[in-house]
Amino acid sequence: MFDIRRLATLLLATAAVMAIVFGIGPRLNRNEAPAGVAVYESMPTAQAISLFQSRVAANESDAVSATILGELFSRQARETGDVAKLGLAETTLDRALTALPGYPRAQTALAAVYLSQHKFSQALDLARIADESDPKGGAILTIGDAQLSLGQYEEARQTFLVAIEKFSAPVVSARLAHIDEIYGDVEGARRTIDKAADAFMAAGGSGETAAWLQMRRGDLAFASGDYEGAAIAYRSSLVILPRYPASLAGLGRSLAATGDLAGAIGSYEEAVAIQPLPQILLELGELYELEGRSAEAGQAYATVEVVSDLSDGLFDLSLVFYEANHGDPDVAVQAAENLVQDRPDLFSYDALAWAHYRAGDLGKARQAADVAVSTNPGIASIWYHSGAISAALGDDDEASADLGMALTLSPRFNPMEVIELQRILEGLEP
């Protein structure tokens, strides 16, 4: 059992700043970076921050030191998940640009901060300005990440193809793999991510980027129904970073798919103790429900609500599914409409479709679901949602096709949803 307020406070101190599910991953590391390597990059982050804080305090017009300090705050946010550090990074980079207007390095760093804050249009606009001024500065990654979040998939693909010619970085390949997944080529995505992860490790790569690549390898194995392969990849990630919450949750998801609910719950609980993200809490709560542990499920769900109220919209996607399935569908609709306005990608439209479905507006649900499946995504849950909506509308053939697609992709993608999927299939006309 866990305390709601304690976990909510912990989350605000350790909230994730990268939207992994959307394919936004680590920046180019210092061994791949197009810019020169600075000595501070090998220093512990807190020590480097202290050094550059003293430099900025001694000279307020030192835009270079202010930019590096902003980058360090952003790096600390990635390492610890402390959202507050993003605010410090933004303030510090604004200061650098006041001292030296148009400084490309500061613009690139600030655009990445905007991306982490889900200010996607601002991130895209500023990254383009920075990339025009300094094409080797790495802003192109933020351009592509922002395009992904805005649902501009073909534009993002072209951006990353340009980026990989410049940098040949595994993290760029991983983004291209995510686009393949969005277009339904899960096996192609797996080949790409496997090659990228292996190449990174063979080159001596380590740390967050190595763990992230293995985690994404696990995600794509899971998406294709290879749950044992997924578990192997997640465990490889955890060898690199033993307390990596995304891989702990992924391992839990894989164990649940193989029927090991006790092991799955243990892995999720470990992830929650480190970084209680709403999506992890939501999935943990549903496993508790399946185990008949209603009080613990209620605690998990209540924590999702508290965290969402305090997070300034950073976790609205999880909030939509929580409210749609376990709370107030009307609240889910409002949150999903806000989400689509700010982030019009297929994941947001999928959330909007499900919110309308749970709220009983099947016409709007179908419209949103049509957008969500328009790329033929290799994501089982999206097809399940589309199939459930078609079944409710009485379109049995379409429902059967969509639900069948979900099962073909990943037959045990979510224990609770698969139970409902099978119930819907049984109710369709033969």
Side-chain angles (χ1 to χ4, degrees):
M1 191 74 68
F2 44 81
D3 180 77
I4 294 173
R5 288 285 172 182
R6 185 187 71 80
L7 283 183
T9 301
L10 177 61
L11 176 64
L12 291 182
T14 61
V17 297
M18 295 179 298
I20 293 170
V21 72
F22 298 104
I24 298 172
R27 307 287 97 187
L28 295 167
N29 72 16
R30 63 176 177 269
N31 294 321
E32 300 165 319
V37 177
V39 173
Y40 80 88
E41 291 184 330
S42 63
M43 297 172 61
T45 303
Q47 180 183 344
I49 285 173
S50 179
L51 170 63
F52 282 92
Q53 280 179 322
S54 64
R55 290 188 181 182
V56 170
N59 183 0
E60 294 186 0
S61 64
D62 184 354
V64 174
S65 291
T67 298
I68 294 173
L69 180 59
E71 291 171 343
L72 287 166
F73 281 133
S74 187
R75 185 170 96 184
Q76 191 172 52
R78 292 196 302 275
E79 291 173 347
T80 67
D82 187 346
V83 172
K85 294 298 187 293
L86 292 175
L88 288 174
E90 181 179 4
T91 300
T92 305
L93 292 165
D94 281 337
R95 179 175 179 175
L97 287 167
T98 298
L100 186 58
Y103 182 32
R105 181 168 176 169
Q107 291 174 328
T108 298
L110 183 57
V113 170
Y114 286 156
L115 187 78
S116 296
Q117 294 171 326
H118 292 192
K119 301 174 182 177
F120 302 113
S121 294
Q122 286 177 261
L124 180 58
D125 291 343
L126 186 57
R128 281 173 168 160
I129 291 170
D131 186 61
E132 185 174 346
S133 299
D134 182 10
K136 296 182 179 181
I140 193 168
L141 276 185
T142 299
I143 293 173
D145 286 342
Q147 289 168 330
L148 270 179
S149 297
L150 293 169
Q152 300 170 7
Y153 299 125
E154 281 307 312
E155 293 90 337
R157 187 197 299 277
Q158 293 306 312
T159 297
F160 292 136
L161 287 173
V162 172
I164 205 166
E165 288 297 320
K166 289 183 177 181
F167 306 131
S168 299
V171 291
V172 183
S173 296
R175 286 159 163 87
L176 287 167
H178 181 57
I179 295 175
D180 286 341
E181 181 187 16
I182 284 169
Y183 281 100
D185 184 6
V186 179
E187 291 305 318
R190 286 191 70 180
R191 288 192 295 272
T192 298
I193 197 71
D194 287 349
K195 183 177 178 181
D198 289 344
F200 189 78
M201 295 299 289
S206 60
E208 178 200 7
T209 300
W212 181 79
L213 286 166
Q214 292 296 331
M215 184 274 297
R216 285 297 295 147
R217 179 181 240 167
D219 289 347
L220 289 167
F222 187 94
S224 68
D226 180 5
Y227 306 122
E228 292 184 1
I232 290 170
Y234 291 129
R235 287 191 172 105
S236 294
S237 175
L238 291 167
V239 169
I240 299 165
L241 286 182
R243 290 171 55 83
Y244 199 36
S247 290
L248 285 166
L251 179 59
R253 201 171 297 123
S254 299
L255 293 174
T258 61
D260 182 3
L261 292 188
I265 287 172
S267 192
Y268 273 110
E269 286 177 336
E270 189 175 350
V272 163
I274 299 165
Q275 193 177 78
L277 295 171
Q279 184 61 35
I280 299 176
L281 284 161
L282 182 57
E283 293 176 13
L284 174 59
E286 291 178 347
L287 290 181
Y288 282 145
E289 272 199 66
L290 290 173
E291 287 278 271
R293 297 160 65 175
S294 57
E296 288 161 293
Q299 284 273 33
Y301 296 149
T303 308
V304 173
E305 286 195 271
V306 172
V307 166
S308 297
D309 287 343
L310 297 173
S311 66
D312 196 26
L314 282 180
F315 306 110
D316 274 358
L317 188 72
S318 299
L319 176 65
V320 171
F321 288 105
Y322 162 71
E323 292 289 356
N325 293 327
H326 308 286
D328 184 342
D330 291 332
V331 173
V333 169
Q334 183 60 57
E337 288 176 343
N338 293 338
L339 195 64
V340 165
Q341 183 174 356
D342 294 337
R343 185 178 199 151
D345 64 359
L346 67 88
F347 299 98
S348 295
Y349 275 100
D350 174 52
L352 180 62
W354 197 243
H356 280 308
Y357 168 73
R358 289 299 197 190
D361 192 335
L362 298 180
K364 288 184 178 178
R366 185 66 264 161
Q367 290 175 3
D370 285 343
V371 178
V373 300
S374 62
T375 63
N376 194 40
I379 301 162
S381 61
I382 293 178
W383 289 106
Y384 158 62
H385 296 151
S386 180
I389 292 165
S390 290
L393 286 166
D395 189 344
D396 288 3
D397 289 343
E398 194 68 30
S400 180
D402 288 355
L403 297 175
M405 176 68 79
L407 293 175
T408 298
L409 283 166
S410 187
R412 297 187 295 278
F413 63 93
N414 177 295
M416 187 168 282
E417 290 191 329
V418 168
I419 291 172
E420 180 65 11
L421 184 155
Q422 294 291 356
R423 186 194 65 77
I424 294 171
L425 272 178
E426 289 170 5
L428 298 180
E429 290 294 328

